[in-house]
Amino acid sequence: MIRLLRELERELEGAGLPKGEALDLLALAAGLPRKALLLRLSEPPPPGAEARARELLKRRLSGYPLQYLLGEVAFFGLPLKVAEGVLIPRPETEGLVELALSLPLPPRPRVLDVGTGTGAIALALKRHLPEAEVHATEVDPRALALAEENARRLGLPVHFLKAPLTGGLRGLDLVVSNPPYLPEAYREVAPKELAFENPLALYAGPEGLDVARPLAGEAWEALRPGGFLLLELAPENVGLMAEELGAMGFQEVAVLRDLLGRERYLRARRPP
C-alpha cells in the first residue's frame, strides 16, 4: 500500500492540497483506522481498495471537502459527525470555545450557541462546563438533526431549538456564535470547497454583518446584566462590529486575535 500512498500524496501535492490527506483517503478506501493502516503499509491493498482510493482522490481534487468524505471531524477533542450542506467546524472556532471557558461565568451559567450547525460550540461547552444549562438555536433542519445526533452519540444534554438568532430566550449569562460573516463578494474568489457547504451559513450581506447585527440586538435583550456576548467574525469586519457594539451600550468591548494573529473574535459585556 505504500506505493498507492505515495501516488496519492503526489496527486494531492500537485493540486496544492496537503499531502497528509493521502493517509486519510487510503485509510477510508481500505476500511481501516489510520493507526492500523500505518502498521500495514507494507501489505498489498485490500480487494477494491485501490479503485476506491482513486475515486476518493478524484472527488477530493474536484474540491469536495475531506471532512465530508470522512464523515467526521475532531473539534475541541470531540468526534463530530458532519454532512454535506452543513458548516464544517473549523480550528479557528476552537478559539471561541477557549475564550468562553475563560470568562468569569456564574457557577451554573445559562449559555446559548446561536446557529449551532453540527452542535460543535454547544457540545464543547457542555463537555467542559457540565453544570451549565446549554441551549442552541439553528434554522436549518438538516443541521439541527445532525447536532441532535452528535449530542446523543456523545451523551451531552443540550437544549436544541429550531429558531433564528436567540429564539426569544432570556436570562442568559453568555451568548456565543460563529455566525455567517463572509461578504457576498467573497463568493467570487472563495475556495471551491465552500460550494459544498450551506451558503446561508457562510455569507451575510455586503459587509458580512447582516446576521451579526440583528444578533447583537437580540443578545442585548437575552443577556442578564453582566452577561457576555462572544462572536467569531472576519478580520475585515470585526473592528466595525466592535464600534457598533460600543454604540449600542455594550461595555468591555474587545477584539481578540486567533492563533495566526488575525483579529477574529469579539467579546463584549452587557453592563452589570
Side-chain angles (χ1 to χ4, degrees):
M1 284 192 282
I2 190 69
R3 173 193 57 78
L4 181 55
L5 178 65
R6 297 292 178 249
E7 183 180 330
L8 296 175
E9 288 176 342
R10 287 194 297 272
E11 291 281 353
L12 288 166
E13 273 195 306
L17 294 169
K19 73 174 186 179
E21 293 186 4
L23 197 61
D24 292 302
L25 295 178
L26 184 54
L28 184 61
L32 295 169
R34 280 174 56 113
K35 289 183 179 178
L37 176 68
L38 288 170
L39 296 174
R40 297 174 59 177
L41 282 176
S42 61
E43 301 177 10
E50 187 159 353
R52 286 193 296 271
R54 296 187 192 285
E55 179 58 30
L56 289 169
L57 175 66
K58 182 180 178 182
R59 295 185 72 192
R60 184 66 187 101
L61 295 179
S62 76
Y64 197 76
L66 176 68
Q67 295 91 335
Y68 288 159
L69 289 173
L70 300 177
E72 189 174 282
V73 64
F75 180 85
F76 219 79
L78 299 177
L80 299 177
K81 283 193 172 184
V82 293
E84 185 174 335
V86 179
L87 187 74
I88 298 167
R90 288 166 168 80
E92 302 95 288
T93 306
E94 293 182 330
L96 197 64
V97 175
E98 290 178 354
L99 288 172
L101 294 174
S102 72
L103 294 173
L105 297 174
R108 297 180 182 274
R110 298 187 73 232
V111 176
L112 171 62
D113 171 24
V114 174
T116 196
T118 59
I121 295 172
L123 294 170
L125 290 177
K126 185 62 181 177
R127 169 60 60 86
H128 291 273
L129 296 172
E131 72 284 1
E133 178 185 314
V134 180
H135 300 260
T137 59
E138 177 58 64
V139 294
D140 181 359
R142 293 174 302 171
L144 194 61
L146 190 59
E148 290 172 338
E149 180 183 354
N150 280 323
R152 286 192 299 270
R153 287 174 58 245
L154 296 168
L156 295 171
V158 169
H159 305 279
F160 292 102
L161 178 64
K162 187 177 185 299
L165 303 180
T166 61
L169 294 175
R170 294 290 185 271
L172 300 171
D173 299 293
L174 169 63
V175 174
V176 59
S177 182
N178 171 26
Y181 57 66
L182 296 175
E184 285 290 338
Y186 188 70
R187 288 181 191 253
E188 303 301 320
V189 295
K192 51 188 176 182
E193 284 86 351
L194 293 191
F196 297 94
E197 297 184 72
N198 186 349
L200 294 178
L202 295 168
Y203 302 99
E207 295 169 303
L209 294 174
D210 281 10
V211 176
R213 283 178 172 133
L215 170 56
E218 288 198 17
W220 178 272
E221 300 297 328
L223 287 168
R224 290 173 176 164
F228 289 90
L229 172 64
L230 269 181
L231 299 175
E232 177 183 340
L233 296 172
E236 295 78 15
N237 56 31
V238 67
L240 175 59
M241 193 69 218
E243 293 177 6
E244 294 182 15
L245 289 184
M248 288 175 61
F250 279 96
Q251 296 181 353
E252 302 175 35
V253 179
V255 174
L256 304 166
R257 297 178 183 272
D258 63 18
L259 290 176
L260 295 178
R262 298 168 299 192
E263 294 184 337
R264 180 165 299 280
Y265 313 113
L266 187 54
R267 184 183 64 211
R269 193 173 195 180
R270 181 168 173 175

